[in-house]
Amino acid sequence: AGGPLGFWSNISDVGSIFRVYEVGSRLSVNLPSGASLKLIRSDNDKANGCGVLIIPGGGYEVVAGDYEGASWAPIFNDLGYTVGVLKYTVPPTAPDGPMTQALEAMQYMRDNDAEWNIANGEIGVMGFSAGGHLASTVATHTSGTECPAFQVLFYPVITMDASYTHSGSRQNLLGSNPSSDLVNLDRKSVV
């Protein structure tokens, strides 16, 4: 893992061309809401009992590639975390669609915690750009057992206020002429 492939013996610097990353068991799950969840389990000998749900960005128009998703699995697996990567429906069919799908993914991870080395049930969220908006919304609009144990945000969309936000994310999530209640929903929290 992380080393050169042995059958490339005629190339002197294979390490700069290819890297092999072996991560734990994988499973792709189609969730009832239409989203999918890719699970990558940490190795038994490294498992710390925690998980992280990674939510890629893409302006609520596309779901960004592996660089904002599964490419992070080897890092977290090495630290003992089981990784879930959410592929949510874009464009959203309703403003609450991505949130519903993220909560569904977290619930799936909780319901199957023993199988996926999440023994203590601590699951955090991590998101990039629009996925950072979704991760922060999950963290601030949930309570009790739904609430993530931690959040990590990379260049998140942090508001839907037109004067500050990424206009494409706002348009794709809320539509052309959203109500002020819908725009300000991200400012409200149940915790």
Side-chain angles (χ1 to χ4, degrees), residues 103-169:
L103 292 175
E104 186 178 40
M106 291 204 52
Q107 190 61 51
Y108 184 90
M109 291 175 74
R110 284 188 186 98
D111 290 346
N112 297 280
D113 57 354
E115 178 183 353
W116 291 95
N117 285 340
I118 310 172
N120 65 19
E122 290 189 12
I123 301 169
V125 291
M126 178 171 126
F128 300 80
S129 192
H133 177 262
L134 183 50
S136 69
T137 303
V138 167
T140 59
H141 287 68
T142 56
S143 61
T145 59
E146 278 192 326
C147 194
F150 61 89
Q151 64 176 317
V152 180
L153 308 176
F154 290 91
Y155 45 92
V157 174
I158 56 169
T159 183
M160 286 295 149
D161 183 317
S163 53
Y164 300 105
T165 196
H166 175 255
S167 60
S169 295

Side-chain angles (χ1 to χ4, degrees), residues 6-29:
F7 56 86
W8 292 89
S9 59
N10 61 339
I11 298 175
S12 61
D13 192 16
V14 173
S16 68
I17 300 170
F18 296 104
R19 288 271 180 223
V20 176
Y21 293 102
E22 294 179 13
V23 294
S25 300
R26 292 174 173 250
L27 174 71
S28 289
V29 177

Side-chain angles (χ1 to χ4, degrees), residues 55-64 68 86 88-99 101-102 128-138 156-160 165-175 186:
I55 307 173
Y60 291 111
E61 182 176 7
V62 298
V63 176
E68 289 184 357
L86 178 64
Y88 49 97
T89 304
V90 289
T93 56
D96 63 345
M99 175 74 164
Q101 293 176 345
F128 300 80
S129 192
H133 177 262
L134 183 50
S136 69
T137 303
V138 167
V157 174
I158 56 169
T159 183
M160 286 295 149
T165 196
H166 175 255
S167 60
S169 295
R170 182 179 193 259
Q171 168 72 30
N172 292 327
L173 182 64
L174 303 181
D186 63 301

